[in-house]
Amino acid sequence: EDFDNSRLTINSSEAALHAYRSGVADSFFVTTPKWAGLKLMPPDTGVYHSAFPDFGGTEDVVTADKITAFESLVGKAIVWAYFSDNWYDSLTFPADAVQAIRAAGRVPFIRMMPRTNFDEGAPDPNYTLARIIAGDFDTALTSWATKAASLPFPILVEFGTEVNGDWFPWSGVYNGAGLAAGYGSPALPDGPERFRDAYRHIVDNCRAAGADNLTWFFHVNADSAPDADWNSIKNYYPGDDYVDWIGVSVYGAQTPDEDNRLFTEIMDAVYPQLTALGDKPIAILEFAVTELD
């Protein structure tokens, strides 16, 4: 996708498209998923080739044609198609989007986005972590999970995208931050602890509704913002019993005025933090760099 002064599409130039096509043509990039029951497993070798195939600025305008167009552009199939489940004024299962991805022969990957609007850098007026934990949305969550459970195919799901950043409203920054006296254990920072419990609450609700066809991803940003001890990735981790995969966003410069860092430089710094969380497969769920003039 492209936004503001960024150009993050793979065809921002002929050179960029050629580089992408050449890279993913290697058999190292796998297009057939491996399953254990209805849970996604890592491939025996290589990595999965997957994408967010330009589902619009709201990240939820999902069509099979968009997937086909992306695959035609890059010359390779994808395993999953990634999109946002924006809760807006109601929390409802994105059935049409899921079925569109399924119709394209790909695995639906849902980003549960508890936000009323697209405002960033502030708490949400409705979907706070405290309210999720308190069960205020349990009726809607149970309905969401029941509809997911009724589908005879696997779905990938994440809750709390890039939670250790300071842009989304579910960030620890807006839900207690580094304070330790307002919630839960006095030994843990309130913001990450609230997120951990909200994540567990959602997974527990889905399991109670019989949604065993969901593979759960815990998705962080490679860099924590703010870069503070309380906001470290490990403080947010819901635990091995609640997480199937660990995901990470790895962005280089997103606008022309940013200093760029190599992908390997960023990954070398975050990878030990991810592997320390638990023995889980790791996915690069988002990565990009703007094409600089």
Side-chain angles (χ1 to χ4, degrees):
E1 60 184 341
D2 292 331
F3 61 92
D4 299 332
N5 198 26
S6 299
R7 288 180 292 163
L8 303 178
T9 48
I10 59 172
N11 59 343
S12 54
S13 71
E14 286 297 325
L17 180 58
H18 176 74
Y20 188 93
R21 288 174 61 100
S22 298
V24 300
D26 194 294
S27 60
F28 183 78
F29 291 92
V30 178
T31 59
T32 302
K34 178 182 177 181
W35 304 101
L38 294 174
K39 292 284 189 179
L40 181 71
M41 304 301 291
D44 292 331
T45 59
V47 299
Y48 290 130
H49 176 236
S50 300
F52 165 76
D54 188 20
F55 289 147
T58 55
E59 304 166 345
D60 60 0
V61 185
V62 179
T63 67
D65 288 346
K66 289 282 191 180
I67 298 171
T68 301
F70 179 87
E71 294 180 339
S72 176
L73 183 66
V74 304
K76 191 151 192 168
I78 60 175
V79 174
W80 66 69
Y82 189 60
F83 74 97
S84 289
D85 173 23
N86 297 303
W87 293 5
Y88 295 152
D89 294 329
S90 64
L91 196 179
T92 55
F93 184 75
D96 290 345
V98 166
Q99 292 292 357
I101 295 170
R102 181 69 176 176
R106 304 299 171 245
V107 182
F109 193 137
I110 303 172
R111 301 201 311 170
M112 298 180 82
M113 308 292 268
R115 56 186 175 188
T116 304
N117 52 51
F118 263 68
D119 292 345
E120 294 189 356
D124 192 87
N126 186 32
Y127 299 113
T128 65
L129 296 183
R131 292 194 67 195
I132 293 173
I133 295 166
D136 290 0
F137 309 106
D138 279 3
T139 299
L141 276 172
T142 298
S143 175
W144 190 103
T146 300
K147 290 176 181 177
S150 71
L151 299 175
F153 52 81
I155 301 169
L156 315 182
V157 186
E158 70 179 49
F159 167 76
T161 304
E162 299 167 348
V163 65
N164 58 319
D166 61 1
W167 38 92
F168 289 130
W170 49 83
S171 164
V173 172
Y174 308 114
N175 292 274
L179 300 176
Y183 174 78
S185 170
L188 299 174
D190 289 348
E193 189 179 13
R194 279 196 176 97
F195 173 80
R196 181 202 68 186
D197 290 354
Y199 187 108
R200 291 176 177 176
H201 186 86
I202 287 173
V203 174
D204 284 340
N205 269 263
C206 289
R207 288 174 175 170
D212 299 325
N213 56 332
L214 306 181
T215 298
W216 288 97
F217 285 69
F218 169 65
H219 180 180
V220 297
N221 196 58
D223 297 313
S224 292
D227 183 11
D229 287 345
W230 72 263
N231 198 37
S232 63
I233 291 171
K234 65 181 180 181
N235 288 337
Y236 288 95
Y237 189 57
D240 289 349
D241 291 342
Y242 288 88
V243 174
D244 298 307
W245 283 66
I246 295 169
V248 61
S249 292
V250 184
Y251 282 94
Q254 295 186 56
T255 60
D257 59 347
E258 286 185 55
D259 292 332
N260 192 41
R261 293 184 296 158
L262 294 176
F263 177 87
T264 50
E265 177 186 355
I266 302 170
M267 276 301 294
D268 283 349
V270 73
Y271 189 74
Q273 300 176 61
L274 304 180
T275 56
L277 296 176
D279 184 19
K280 301 292 180 178
I282 294 173
I284 310 298
L285 291 179
E286 299 182 39
F287 79 103
V289 61
T290 195
E291 187 166 17
L292 305 177
D293 290 327

